[in-house]
Tab-separated table of all heavy atoms in Angstrom:
chain	number	residue	atom	x	y	z
H	8	LYS	N	0.453	-6.429	-7.234
H	8	LYS	CA	0.842	-7.070	-5.971
H	8	LYS	C	0.393	-8.522	-6.001
H	8	LYS	O	-0.778	-8.814	-6.291
H	8	LYS	CB	0.194	-6.325	-4.796
H	8	LYS	CG	0.642	-6.835	-3.442
H	8	LYS	CD	-0.332	-7.803	-2.835
H	8	LYS	CE	0.272	-8.521	-1.645
H	8	LYS	NZ	-0.673	-9.417	-0.970
H	10	GLY	N	0.251	-12.163	-3.852
H	10	GLY	CA	0.330	-12.714	-2.502
H	10	GLY	C	1.069	-14.046	-2.436
H	10	GLY	O	1.224	-14.749	-3.440
H	39	LEU	N	2.578	-4.054	-24.638
H	39	LEU	CA	1.476	-3.153	-25.021
H	39	LEU	C	1.756	-1.704	-24.599
H	39	LEU	O	0.934	-0.820	-24.789
H	39	LEU	CB	0.168	-3.626	-24.368
H	39	LEU	CG	-0.412	-4.936	-24.915
H	39	LEU	CD1	-1.524	-5.445	-24.013
H	39	LEU	CD2	-0.930	-4.727	-26.342
H	45	LEU	N	6.313	-4.628	-9.755
H	45	LEU	CA	5.793	-5.845	-9.149
H	45	LEU	C	6.088	-5.833	-7.651
H	45	LEU	O	7.245	-5.675	-7.251
H	45	LEU	CB	6.463	-7.057	-9.820
H	45	LEU	CG	6.088	-8.444	-9.329
H	45	LEU	CD1	4.582	-8.704	-9.483
H	45	LEU	CD2	6.867	-9.503	-10.118
H	76	VAL	N	16.449	-16.671	2.982
H	76	VAL	CA	16.646	-17.771	2.030
H	76	VAL	C	15.619	-17.696	0.892
H	76	VAL	O	15.951	-17.844	-0.294
H	76	VAL	CB	16.493	-19.117	2.782
H	76	VAL	CG1	16.567	-20.282	1.821
H	76	VAL	CG2	17.553	-19.248	3.862
H	100	LEU	N	14.310	-3.962	-1.880
H	100	LEU	CA	13.892	-4.411	-0.548
H	100	LEU	C	13.768	-3.173	0.320
H	100	LEU	O	14.718	-2.396	0.428
H	100	LEU	CB	14.929	-5.368	0.039
H	100	LEU	CG	15.001	-6.728	-0.654
H	100	LEU	CD1	16.059	-7.601	-0.015
H	100	LEU	CD2	13.645	-7.429	-0.604
H	114	ASN	N	13.833	9.769	-1.829
H	114	ASN	CA	14.975	8.966	-2.244
H	114	ASN	C	14.506	7.611	-2.791
H	114	ASN	O	14.911	7.167	-3.867
H	114	ASN	CB	15.910	8.776	-1.038
H	114	ASN	CG	17.126	7.974	-1.390
H	114	ASN	OD1	17.762	8.236	-2.406
H	114	ASN	ND2	17.432	6.977	-0.576
H	138	SER	N	13.384	-5.800	9.277
H	138	SER	CA	12.240	-4.998	9.740
H	138	SER	C	11.954	-5.284	11.201
H	138	SER	O	11.928	-6.444	11.614
H	138	SER	CB	10.988	-5.354	8.942
H	138	SER	OG	11.114	-4.868	7.657
H	155	ALA	N	2.218	2.189	-4.892
H	155	ALA	CA	1.367	2.713	-5.971
H	155	ALA	C	1.264	4.233	-5.856
H	155	ALA	O	1.351	4.972	-6.838
H	155	ALA	CB	-0.018	2.073	-5.914
H	172	ILE	N	-13.981	-9.019	-3.678
H	172	ILE	CA	-14.711	-8.866	-2.419
H	172	ILE	C	-16.129	-9.409	-2.601
H	172	ILE	O	-16.814	-9.024	-3.544
H	172	ILE	CB	-14.820	-7.372	-2.019
H	172	ILE	CG1	-13.498	-6.643	-2.234
H	172	ILE	CG2	-15.382	-7.219	-0.623
H	172	ILE	CD1	-12.523	-6.704	-1.147
H	188	VAL	N	-16.833	-0.688	-6.688
H	188	VAL	CA	-16.960	0.005	-5.414
H	188	VAL	C	-16.780	1.496	-5.679
H	188	VAL	O	-15.707	1.925	-6.127
H	188	VAL	CB	-15.893	-0.486	-4.409
H	188	VAL	CG1	-16.053	0.201	-3.066
H	188	VAL	CG2	-15.951	-1.996	-4.259
H	192	ARG	N	-17.210	4.374	-0.570
H	192	ARG	CA	-18.173	3.398	-0.044
H	192	ARG	C	-17.525	2.526	1.038
H	192	ARG	O	-16.400	2.045	0.867
H	192	ARG	CB	-18.671	2.522	-1.195
H	192	ARG	CG	-19.646	1.465	-0.780
H	192	ARG	CD	-20.267	0.825	-2.000
H	192	ARG	NE	-20.846	-0.454	-1.702
H	192	ARG	CZ	-21.103	-1.379	-2.616
H	192	ARG	NH1	-20.839	-1.157	-3.891
H	192	ARG	NH2	-21.640	-2.522	-2.281
H	196	GLU	N	-19.061	-4.017	6.445
H	196	GLU	CA	-20.083	-5.022	6.791
H	196	GLU	C	-19.877	-6.350	6.053
H	196	GLU	O	-20.349	-7.400	6.467
H	196	GLU	CB	-21.491	-4.477	6.506
H	196	GLU	CG	-21.720	-4.202	5.038
H	196	GLU	CD	-23.166	-3.855	4.696
H	196	GLU	OE1	-24.057	-4.663	5.019
H	196	GLU	OE2	-23.397	-2.789	4.101
H	198	VAL	N	-16.716	-7.562	5.031
H	198	VAL	CA	-15.371	-8.100	5.070
H	198	VAL	C	-15.036	-8.699	6.429
H	198	VAL	O	-15.026	-8.008	7.431
H	198	VAL	CB	-14.353	-7.004	4.701
H	198	VAL	CG1	-12.954	-7.559	4.736
H	198	VAL	CG2	-14.664	-6.455	3.333
H	200	SER	N	-12.580	-10.274	9.255
H	200	SER	CA	-11.210	-9.889	9.605
H	200	SER	C	-10.262	-11.084	9.546
H	200	SER	O	-9.087	-10.980	9.828
H	200	SER	CB	-11.185	-9.264	10.992
H	200	SER	OG	-11.712	-10.182	11.904
H	236	ASP	N	-4.768	-15.898	-17.427
H	236	ASP	CA	-4.718	-14.573	-18.065
H	236	ASP	C	-5.391	-13.464	-17.275
H	236	ASP	O	-5.789	-12.441	-17.842
H	236	ASP	CB	-5.348	-14.633	-19.472
H	236	ASP	CG	-4.468	-15.405	-20.430
H	236	ASP	OD1	-3.251	-15.482	-20.182
H	236	ASP	OD2	-4.997	-15.931	-21.426
H	237	VAL	N	-5.501	-13.642	-15.964
H	237	VAL	CA	-6.275	-12.692	-15.163
H	237	VAL	C	-5.729	-11.270	-15.234
H	237	VAL	O	-6.479	-10.301	-15.368
H	237	VAL	CB	-6.387	-13.180	-13.694
H	237	VAL	CG1	-5.038	-13.209	-13.008
H	237	VAL	CG2	-7.343	-12.331	-12.902
H	265	ARG	N	-0.391	12.430	-0.812
H	265	ARG	CA	-0.392	10.951	-0.850
H	265	ARG	C	0.599	10.394	0.162
H	265	ARG	O	0.336	9.428	0.845
H	265	ARG	CB	0.000	10.463	-2.241
H	265	ARG	CG	-1.101	10.658	-3.240
H	265	ARG	CD	-0.655	10.141	-4.569
H	265	ARG	NE	-1.711	10.280	-5.539
H	265	ARG	CZ	-1.666	9.784	-6.753
H	265	ARG	NH1	-0.607	9.130	-7.151
H	265	ARG	NH2	-2.670	9.935	-7.570
H	268	ALA	N	-0.875	10.808	3.513
H	268	ALA	CA	-1.991	9.881	3.722
H	268	ALA	C	-1.531	8.533	4.277
H	268	ALA	O	-2.237	7.870	5.021
H	268	ALA	CB	-2.737	9.672	2.403
H	276	GLY	N	2.993	13.545	17.134
H	276	GLY	CA	2.147	14.136	18.161
H	276	GLY	C	0.719	14.285	17.658
H	276	GLY	O	0.422	13.945	16.511
H	278	ILE	N	-2.820	16.895	17.731
H	278	ILE	CA	-3.505	18.141	18.063
H	278	ILE	C	-4.991	17.814	18.152
H	278	ILE	O	-5.541	17.169	17.244
H	278	ILE	CB	-3.267	19.194	16.951
H	278	ILE	CG1	-1.826	19.690	17.021
H	278	ILE	CG2	-4.257	20.343	17.057
H	278	ILE	CD1	-1.477	20.736	15.981
H	313	ILE	N	5.339	14.775	10.818
H	313	ILE	CA	3.949	14.350	10.636
H	313	ILE	C	3.227	14.396	11.986
H	313	ILE	O	3.752	13.918	12.992
H	313	ILE	CB	3.899	12.912	10.070
H	313	ILE	CG1	4.521	12.863	8.669
H	313	ILE	CG2	2.473	12.354	10.051
H	313	ILE	CD1	3.744	13.587	7.601
Side-chain angles (χ1 to χ4, degrees):
K8 185 262 168 176
L39 290 168
L45 179 59
V76 175
L100 290 180
N114 181 47
S138 289
I172 317 274
V188 182
R192 179 170 161 200
E196 64 172 304
V198 180
S200 58
D236 289 336
V237 65
R265 286 181 178 188
I278 288 180
I313 296 292

